[in-house]
């Protein structure tokens, strides 16, 4: 009992610590932070360029602005190519495509600056349009790849929540199996019926408490936050394993009680001895019985 009490105090302390730790936790990005930051920086740089009043800029200012934008895009493309070299084979291909799309944008700006006639300008604009389409396709392919291969992004929280959901689901399956198999015995031994109810309720609370943050996490966009409601998650998990111990303890007691109630009474040795003597021979003092 002392060991059990110590364990319960420890579990309660852990519960309090988790609750005090906070109710919200940031969802990890579905892609690596380095790729996300570099990609967004390049896209923002290019969008700022397109949204500028290019037509009314003096030619010298336009050339300088275009060149500086192209230099920034070249640098971001090179950084993505460097990140691709350190990534796994499947992810590296997707990162390299992102970098290639941004490099094409930079090259189209270089071509605009170098254009000397309308045909060259038209060709540079076509190159820019093709680069935009290529980059959009690369973005979709990259996100799809990470959705299918969450481990590639180094997203450990995906494994945490998915593992907890699987564990909670298995606990509920165990609870259902125990509920079905102990039905008859639970009706004969009320404490066992209460114990199996506790196991089922705890497993259900554990699963719901795990699904609430897990579903939010799975649906969160990079950088978004999702709420972790610790109470049903932690209380349900602790309660399940405590209730499971109580179930097996009461199950053993119930089996022993039913076995004892159904046992036939032991034969009376004196009655057997009397039968051996015969009906007219009473047991005398000093006889074995």
């Amino acid at each position: 009992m002392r060991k059990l009490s110590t364990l319960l105090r420890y579990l309660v302390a852990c519960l309090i610590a988790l609750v005090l730790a906070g109710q919200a936790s940031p969802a990890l990005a579905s892609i690596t932070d380095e790729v996300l930051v570099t990609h967004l920086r390049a896209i923002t740089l290019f969008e700022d360029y397109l949204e500028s009043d290019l037509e009314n800029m003096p030619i010298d200012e336009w050339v300088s602005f275009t060149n500086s934008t192209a230099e920034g895009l070249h640098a971001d493309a090179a950084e993505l190519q460097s990140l691709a070299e350190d990534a796994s084979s499947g992810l590296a291909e997707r990162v390299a495509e992102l970098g290639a799309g941004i490099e094409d944008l930079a090259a189209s700006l270089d071509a605009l600056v170098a254009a000397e006639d309308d045909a060259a300008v038209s060709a540079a604009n076509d190159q820019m349009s093709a680069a935009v389409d290529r980059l959009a396709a690369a973005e979709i392919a990259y996100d799809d790849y990470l959705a299918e291969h969450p481990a590639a992004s180094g997203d450990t929280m995906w494994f945490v929540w998915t593992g907890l959901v699987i564990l909670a689901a298995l606990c509920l399956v165990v609870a259902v199996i125990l509920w079905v198999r102990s039905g008859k015995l639970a009706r004969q031994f009320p404490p066992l019926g209460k114990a199996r109810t506790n196991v089922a309720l705890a497993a259900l609370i554990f699963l719901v408490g795990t699904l609430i943050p897990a579903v939010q996490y799975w649906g969160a966009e990079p950088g978004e936050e999702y709420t972790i409601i610790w109470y049903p998650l932690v209380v349900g998990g602790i309660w399940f394993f405590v209730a499971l111990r109580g179930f097996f303890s009461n199950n053993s007691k119930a089996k022993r009680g039913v076995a004892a109630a159904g046992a036939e009474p032991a034969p009376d040795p004196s009655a057997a001895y009397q039968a051996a003597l015969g009906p007219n021979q009473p047991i005398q003092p000093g006889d074995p019985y």
Side-chain angles (χ1 to χ4, degrees), residues 49-73:
Y49 175 81
L50 294 180
E51 293 172 359
S52 300
D53 190 9
L54 301 175
E55 294 181 357
N56 296 321
M57 280 186 184
I59 187 62
D60 292 342
E61 184 179 343
W62 176 83
V63 169
S64 176
F65 183 42
T66 303
N67 282 333
S68 65
T69 301
E71 289 175 2
L73 293 175

Short mmCIF file of all heavy atoms in Angstrom, two decimals, residues 49-73:
data_model
loop_
_atom_site.label_atom_id
_atom_site.label_comp_id
_atom_site.label_asym_id
_atom_site.label_seq_id
_atom_site.Cartn_x
_atom_site.Cartn_y
_atom_site.Cartn_z
N TYR A 49 8.64 43.22 -55.66
CA TYR A 49 9.12 43.74 -56.94
C TYR A 49 7.96 43.96 -57.90
O TYR A 49 7.85 45.01 -58.56
CB TYR A 49 10.14 42.77 -57.54
CG TYR A 49 10.61 43.17 -58.92
CD1 TYR A 49 11.59 44.13 -59.07
CD2 TYR A 49 10.06 42.57 -60.05
CE1 TYR A 49 12.03 44.51 -60.35
CE2 TYR A 49 10.48 42.93 -61.32
CZ TYR A 49 11.47 43.90 -61.46
OH TYR A 49 11.89 44.28 -62.71
N LEU A 50 7.07 42.96 -58.00
CA LEU A 50 5.95 43.07 -58.94
C LEU A 50 4.97 44.15 -58.53
O LEU A 50 4.31 44.77 -59.39
CB LEU A 50 5.22 41.72 -59.04
CG LEU A 50 6.00 40.55 -59.65
CD1 LEU A 50 5.15 39.30 -59.66
CD2 LEU A 50 6.49 40.88 -61.06
N GLU A 51 4.82 44.38 -57.23
CA GLU A 51 3.87 45.37 -56.74
C GLU A 51 4.42 46.80 -56.78
O GLU A 51 3.69 47.75 -56.48
CB GLU A 51 3.45 45.02 -55.31
CG GLU A 51 2.64 43.72 -55.23
CD GLU A 51 2.40 43.28 -53.80
OE1 GLU A 51 2.89 43.99 -52.88
OE2 GLU A 51 1.72 42.25 -53.60
N SER A 52 5.68 46.96 -57.11
CA SER A 52 6.28 48.30 -57.20
C SER A 52 5.81 49.00 -58.48
O SER A 52 5.38 48.37 -59.44
CB SER A 52 7.81 48.19 -57.21
OG SER A 52 8.26 47.57 -56.02
N ASP A 53 5.91 50.32 -58.46
CA ASP A 53 5.49 51.12 -59.62
C ASP A 53 6.62 51.12 -60.64
O ASP A 53 7.31 52.13 -60.86
CB ASP A 53 5.17 52.55 -59.15
CG ASP A 53 4.50 53.38 -60.24
OD1 ASP A 53 4.14 52.79 -61.30
OD2 ASP A 53 4.36 54.59 -60.06
N LEU A 54 6.78 49.99 -61.32
CA LEU A 54 7.91 49.81 -62.23
C LEU A 54 7.81 50.70 -63.47
O LEU A 54 8.82 51.19 -63.98
CB LEU A 54 8.00 48.34 -62.66
CG LEU A 54 8.20 47.33 -61.53
CD1 LEU A 54 8.14 45.90 -62.09
CD2 LEU A 54 9.51 47.56 -60.81
N GLU A 55 6.59 50.92 -63.95
CA GLU A 55 6.42 51.67 -65.19
C GLU A 55 6.83 53.13 -65.04
O GLU A 55 7.27 53.76 -66.01
CB GLU A 55 4.96 51.59 -65.65
CG GLU A 55 4.52 50.18 -66.06
CD GLU A 55 3.09 50.15 -66.54
OE1 GLU A 55 2.44 51.22 -66.50
OE2 GLU A 55 2.64 49.06 -66.95
N ASN A 56 6.68 53.69 -63.85
CA ASN A 56 6.98 55.10 -63.64
C ASN A 56 8.36 55.34 -63.04
O ASN A 56 8.71 56.48 -62.71
CB ASN A 56 5.92 55.74 -62.74
CG ASN A 56 4.54 55.71 -63.38
OD1 ASN A 56 4.41 55.93 -64.59
ND2 ASN A 56 3.51 55.44 -62.58
N MET A 57 9.15 54.26 -62.88
CA MET A 57 10.50 54.42 -62.34
C MET A 57 11.45 54.93 -63.42
O MET A 57 11.35 54.52 -64.58
CB MET A 57 11.03 53.07 -61.82
CG MET A 57 10.55 52.66 -60.48
SD MET A 57 11.41 51.15 -59.95
CE MET A 57 10.57 50.82 -58.42
N PRO A 58 12.39 55.81 -63.05
CA PRO A 58 13.46 56.16 -63.99
C PRO A 58 14.24 54.91 -64.36
O PRO A 58 14.35 53.97 -63.56
CB PRO A 58 14.31 57.16 -63.20
CG PRO A 58 13.39 57.69 -62.16
CD PRO A 58 12.46 56.57 -61.81
N ILE A 59 14.77 54.88 -65.56
CA ILE A 59 15.43 53.67 -66.05
C ILE A 59 16.57 53.22 -65.16
O ILE A 59 16.73 52.02 -64.89
CB ILE A 59 15.92 53.87 -67.51
CG1 ILE A 59 16.46 52.54 -68.08
CG2 ILE A 59 16.94 54.99 -67.57
CD1 ILE A 59 15.46 51.46 -68.16
N ASP A 60 17.37 54.20 -64.67
CA ASP A 60 18.50 53.82 -63.81
C ASP A 60 18.00 53.19 -62.50
O ASP A 60 18.58 52.21 -62.01
CB ASP A 60 19.36 55.05 -63.51
CG ASP A 60 20.08 55.57 -64.75
OD1 ASP A 60 20.18 54.80 -65.72
OD2 ASP A 60 20.54 56.74 -64.74
N GLU A 61 16.93 53.77 -61.94
CA GLU A 61 16.37 53.23 -60.68
C GLU A 61 15.77 51.85 -60.93
O GLU A 61 15.90 50.96 -60.09
CB GLU A 61 15.32 54.20 -60.14
CG GLU A 61 14.74 53.77 -58.80
CD GLU A 61 13.71 54.75 -58.28
OE1 GLU A 61 13.68 55.91 -58.77
OE2 GLU A 61 12.94 54.36 -57.38
N TRP A 62 15.12 51.71 -62.08
CA TRP A 62 14.52 50.39 -62.39
C TRP A 62 15.60 49.32 -62.53
O TRP A 62 15.45 48.21 -62.03
CB TRP A 62 13.73 50.50 -63.69
CG TRP A 62 13.17 49.18 -64.14
CD1 TRP A 62 12.03 48.58 -63.71
CD2 TRP A 62 13.77 48.29 -65.09
NE1 TRP A 62 11.87 47.36 -64.33
CE2 TRP A 62 12.91 47.17 -65.19
CE3 TRP A 62 14.93 48.35 -65.86
CZ2 TRP A 62 13.20 46.11 -66.03
CZ3 TRP A 62 15.21 47.28 -66.71
CH2 TRP A 62 14.34 46.16 -66.79
N VAL A 63 16.70 49.65 -63.22
CA VAL A 63 17.78 48.69 -63.39
C VAL A 63 18.38 48.30 -62.04
O VAL A 63 18.63 47.12 -61.77
CB VAL A 63 18.87 49.27 -64.32
CG1 VAL A 63 20.12 48.39 -64.29
CG2 VAL A 63 18.35 49.40 -65.73
N SER A 64 18.62 49.32 -61.18
CA SER A 64 19.20 49.03 -59.87
C SER A 64 18.25 48.17 -59.03
O SER A 64 18.68 47.21 -58.36
CB SER A 64 19.50 50.35 -59.15
OG SER A 64 19.97 50.10 -57.84
N PHE A 65 16.97 48.50 -59.04
CA PHE A 65 15.98 47.77 -58.26
C PHE A 65 15.85 46.33 -58.78
O PHE A 65 15.77 45.37 -58.01
CB PHE A 65 14.63 48.49 -58.34
CG PHE A 65 13.54 47.88 -57.51
CD1 PHE A 65 13.78 47.40 -56.22
CD2 PHE A 65 12.26 47.75 -58.02
CE1 PHE A 65 12.77 46.83 -55.46
CE2 PHE A 65 11.24 47.18 -57.27
CZ PHE A 65 11.51 46.72 -56.00
N THR A 66 15.83 46.17 -60.10
CA THR A 66 15.71 44.83 -60.69
C THR A 66 16.94 43.99 -60.37
O THR A 66 16.83 42.80 -60.04
CB THR A 66 15.51 44.93 -62.20
OG1 THR A 66 14.34 45.73 -62.47
CG2 THR A 66 15.33 43.55 -62.82
N ASN A 67 18.11 44.60 -60.49
CA ASN A 67 19.34 43.86 -60.18
C ASN A 67 19.40 43.44 -58.71
O ASN A 67 19.82 42.31 -58.40
CB ASN A 67 20.56 44.71 -60.52
CG ASN A 67 20.85 44.73 -62.01
OD1 ASN A 67 20.52 43.80 -62.72
ND2 ASN A 67 21.48 45.81 -62.48
N SER A 68 19.02 44.33 -57.81
CA SER A 68 19.06 43.98 -56.38
C SER A 68 18.06 42.86 -56.06
O SER A 68 18.34 41.97 -55.25
CB SER A 68 18.77 45.21 -55.53
OG SER A 68 17.44 45.69 -55.73
N THR A 69 16.89 42.91 -56.71
CA THR A 69 15.90 41.83 -56.51
C THR A 69 16.45 40.51 -57.04
O THR A 69 16.32 39.46 -56.39
CB THR A 69 14.58 42.18 -57.21
OG1 THR A 69 14.07 43.41 -56.70
CG2 THR A 69 13.55 41.08 -56.99
N ALA A 70 17.06 40.55 -58.21
CA ALA A 70 17.63 39.33 -58.80
C ALA A 70 18.74 38.77 -57.91
O ALA A 70 18.83 37.55 -57.73
CB ALA A 70 18.17 39.63 -60.20
N GLU A 71 19.58 39.65 -57.36
CA GLU A 71 20.66 39.19 -56.47
C GLU A 71 20.09 38.49 -55.24
O GLU A 71 20.60 37.45 -54.79
CB GLU A 71 21.52 40.37 -56.07
CG GLU A 71 22.39 40.92 -57.20
CD GLU A 71 23.14 42.17 -56.79
OE1 GLU A 71 23.00 42.57 -55.60
OE2 GLU A 71 23.86 42.74 -57.63
N GLY A 72 19.03 39.06 -54.67
CA GLY A 72 18.39 38.42 -53.51
C GLY A 72 17.83 37.06 -53.86
O GLY A 72 17.95 36.10 -53.08
N LEU A 73 17.20 36.95 -55.03
CA LEU A 73 16.64 35.67 -55.45
C LEU A 73 17.74 34.64 -55.73
O LEU A 73 17.60 33.46 -55.40
CB LEU A 73 15.78 35.87 -56.69
CG LEU A 73 14.48 36.67 -56.49
CD1 LEU A 73 13.78 36.89 -57.83
CD2 LEU A 73 13.55 35.98 -55.51
#
